[in-house]
Amino acid sequence: MTIGRVTQRMLTEGSLANLQRNLGRMATLQEQLSSGRVINRPSDNPTGTTAAMRIRASVSDQTQYARNAQDGIGWLTQIDSTLDATTSTVRRARDLAIQGANTGALGQQARDALAVEVEGIREQLLGLANASYLERPVFGGVTAGGRAYDAGGNWVGVPGSVDRRVADGVVVQVDVDGRTVFGDGASSVFAELDALAAALRAGDTAAIGASIDVLRAREDTVTGARAVAGTRYQRIEQSGLAADDAKISLENSLSTIENADLAETTVHLKLQEVAYQAALAATARVMQPSLLDFLR
């Protein structure tokens, strides 16, 4: 039977190593409690750190998607309110044309007054066609200028769509090409109103009647454009909500990986404190008898 030799030095070094190990565990638990996180450096949990980095990247993506959706909603809200006002304005112009076509009830002086109001409507529509959001015309394409139409009713924008990415692979157009709503140049609503005003002043009932049909078609065009913008609004709003939900879900997952369970960590710390106290007591008892004590 072989008996291994155990020296006082071996007992001392072993005891110190155990005490250091216990102190290290206590320090880790105290750090987790003070920071509220179980991962304070990559070496704490390399696998968890990698997962947390991926989740953080996804959270950043979803945050940007939600921000894009809010910006798109701003554009489409401006467009919706502008097209609503445009519809009412064009309808008013058509009502004036219907009044002007009633030759039995109106004299030329009254038609001249209607022409003046039609010219005012033209200016009002020109303002609506140059509506902007964040200092960018919502009907001007990708223009860097501040207007979509000049005073002559000519489109001065730059062709192209203003898009917002609101999810992976989902891009929504948030502007409307002014030419599809107000027309351009000789085929614009401004030219149509000029023609109506001229017909009213000239007492040309045939031309006034033609303007009624033209303005009815223009009203239908504006209504159709508003329906398309409304569909985009609904789509981008749903995407924004989905991005917010995804962000919350990802943040919960991130919290599960990174954050400490304070109650559980506190219990572990108390257990570690008890273990450390026991180790101190055991070390004190083992270290007392020494060769020096024996010789005395």
Side-chain angles (χ1 to χ4, degrees), residues 8 289-296:
Q8 190 68 27
S290 63
L291 179 59
L292 185 60
D293 295 330
F294 176 77
L295 294 175
R296 281 190 306 195

Side-chain angles (χ1 to χ4, degrees), residues 37 48-66 166-168 239-259:
R37 299 158 59 91
T49 300
T50 302
M53 291 176 64
R54 290 176 178 170
I55 292 175
R56 283 186 186 283
S58 297
V59 169
S60 178
D61 290 344
Q62 297 301 327
T63 300
Q64 187 59 53
Y65 291 149
V166 293
D168 289 339
S239 297
L241 292 174
D244 287 336
D245 291 343
K247 180 183 172 185
I248 292 173
S249 177
L250 288 167
E251 287 177 341
N252 287 336
S253 299
L254 186 63
S255 175
T256 302
I257 295 174
E258 289 188 330
N259 294 344

Side-chain angles (χ1 to χ4, degrees), residues 135-137 140-147 156-158:
E135 301 182 353
R136 291 188 61 185
V142 294
T143 179
R147 297 171 63 84
V156 293
V158 176

Side-chain angles (χ1 to χ4, degrees), residues 72-96:
I73 286 173
W75 277 78
L76 291 169
T77 299
Q78 176 64 57
I79 289 171
D80 181 70
S81 62
T82 302
L83 293 181
D84 181 41
T86 300
T87 302
S88 301
T89 305
V90 172
R91 186 177 299 134
R92 175 59 183 164
R94 186 165 61 85
D95 291 342
L96 294 177

Side-chain angles (χ1 to χ4, degrees), residues 82 86 124-131 137-140 147-149 182 190:
T82 302
T86 300
Q124 184 179 352
L125 277 176
L126 189 61
L128 291 172
N130 283 316
V138 295
F139 300 110
R147 297 171 63 84
Y149 282 88
F182 302 97
F190 311 108

Side-chain angles (χ1 to χ4, degrees), residues 245-293:
D245 291 343
K247 180 183 172 185
I248 292 173
S249 177
L250 288 167
E251 287 177 341
N252 287 336
S253 299
L254 186 63
S255 175
T256 302
I257 295 174
E258 289 188 330
N259 294 344
D261 185 330
L262 296 182
E264 182 181 3
T265 307
T266 301
V267 171
H268 287 164
L269 179 61
K270 296 301 294 183
L271 291 173
Q272 196 59 46
E273 286 177 353
V274 171
Y276 181 65
Q277 292 294 335
L280 283 175
T283 301
R285 294 181 64 83
V286 168
M287 299 295 291
Q288 282 178 359
S290 63
L291 179 59
L292 185 60
D293 295 330

